[in-house]
Each structure stands twice: as structure tokens, then as C-alpha cells.
Amino acid sequence: MNQPIPDGYWCYMVCFRPGSDRMAAGTDIVTPYPGRAIAWMRQQVRLVAVGLADEADRVKAKTWLDNLRTAGAAVRELQSGSGSYGFQLTTAWGVRWMWVGHSVSRLSALSTSETHPALSGRTPIH
């Protein structure tokens, strides 16, 4: 029997060096709650903002963090399942930081007690 996997939210943070499209750093999380997804994104922005060398860059991050209406709208956007939400910060040094949250659609998975028709009669390899 197929079991539904609940909807969830995948968030990630990536950093790109100046003039490059190659990721320099990144981390991610999957959570079942849109509020937790946005809270994680905000926490990651706080962690990066503390280490920013340029005061103007810290102000940009703090301005986004202080806008609680935007945070509430981001939660509703993810909850609606209509797409994704993101925040990007390009520093004075050209380093590009991106924080993005996506809603993850429902998938189904096979339970361990059911065999897939294509594998019927075959012995599993261990």
C-alpha cells in the first residue's frame, strides 16, 4: 500500500563568491511547518549578518529581519503551496548570499510490506 508523505518545506542557504556561479557554502533543512521554515531562514540570516564586515550590509540584513510583516507574508506564501520565498543579500565585496524556502509537494512511498509489481518474484540483494 502506498503511504502519503506529508507536505513539507525545504529551505536552503547558499553563498557565491564574487564573480562566480559556483557555490562556496551552503546548508539546508526540511521541516513540516512553514513557520519553522521561515524561522530557520531568519536564524541563518542572523548568523551571517553578525559576521558581515560592512556596516551597510549588516543594516540590509537587519532591515529584512526587523520586518515582521514580511516574515508573516513569507509563512503564508509557503503555506499556500504556490511556490517559494527567498531573500538575497549581495555584499559590498560582491559575495552573494541567498536564503530560499520551497513547499515540497506530496509524494508517495512504498511500505515495506508491499512489493513493487516490477520486482515481483525477485530476491532482494543484501
Side-chain angles (χ1 to χ4, degrees):
M1 176 174 161
N2 287 344
Q3 297 175 341
I5 297 174
D7 289 336
Y9 304 91
W10 173 49
C11 298
Y12 58 91
M13 176 200 72
V14 291
C15 173
F16 299 94
R17 290 192 175 103
S20 174
D21 283 336
R22 295 183 69 191
M23 186 172 70
T27 187
D28 69 339
I29 186 175
V30 176
T31 178
Y33 306 107
R36 223 179 258 172
I38 298 302
W40 180 86
M41 288 173 62
R42 291 171 55 79
Q43 180 61 30
Q44 295 301 310
V45 171
R46 274 187 208 96
L47 291 172
V48 168
V50 169
L52 293 173
D54 189 75
E55 178 66 24
D57 296 334
R58 285 194 303 274
V59 168
K60 286 180 207 172
K62 186 175 178 338
T63 300
W64 182 78
L65 288 168
D66 288 345
N67 190 338
L68 298 180
R69 283 189 176 158
T70 298
V75 170
R76 289 187 297 280
E77 174 103 11
L78 284 181
Q79 195 169 32
S80 73
S82 63
S84 60
Y85 176 79
F87 172 65
Q88 182 172 313
L89 175 66
T90 303
T91 69
W93 294 86
V95 176
R96 190 167 35 121
W97 292 90
M98 293 173 51
W99 295 267
V100 182
H102 298 280
S103 57
V104 179
S105 61
R106 231 174 243 272
L107 303 171
S108 62
L110 293 173
S111 69
T112 56
S113 61
E114 179 184 345
T115 59
H116 190 277
L119 302 175
S120 167
R122 297 186 183 201
T123 306
I125 299 172
H126 295 284

